Amino acid sequence: MGLVFRSRKKFGPLILNFTENGFSSWSLKIGRWSWNSKTRAHRVDLPGPLSWKQDKSRSRS
């Protein structure tokens, strides 16, 4: 099993994600709500170890 390089740079609410191949995706986090450009999923942090996620496939109802 090999090692995986990942890096994250934060600029306020904007988060840039990098892998060994370069730029991977960007995220936006405001309070408990976040959105990721690669998965296009909304996520809300709940109390404790819980979170709620809405995938792009379910939002097109």
Side-chain angles (χ1 to χ4, degrees):
M1 183 172 185
L3 295 174
V4 177
F5 171 78
R6 288 190 289 177
S7 179
R8 178 179 280 192
K9 301 289 182 189
K10 292 180 78 173
F11 301 98
L14 181 65
I15 303 166
L16 303 177
N17 302 303
F18 298 91
T19 63
E20 63 237 2
N21 297 326
F23 179 74
S24 172
S25 66
W26 60 273
S27 301
L28 191 62
K29 183 163 177 63
I30 301 172
R32 293 181 173 230
W33 175 84
S34 64
W35 184 79
N36 184 284
S37 67
K38 189 171 188 177
T39 61
R40 296 184 187 265
H42 298 269
R43 183 178 299 267
V44 177
D45 295 331
L46 300 175
L50 304 174
S51 67
W52 174 82
K53 179 180 173 186
Q54 180 180 18
D55 294 329
K56 64 179 178 179
S57 60
R58 293 187 180 179
S59 63
R60 294 183 180 183
S61 299

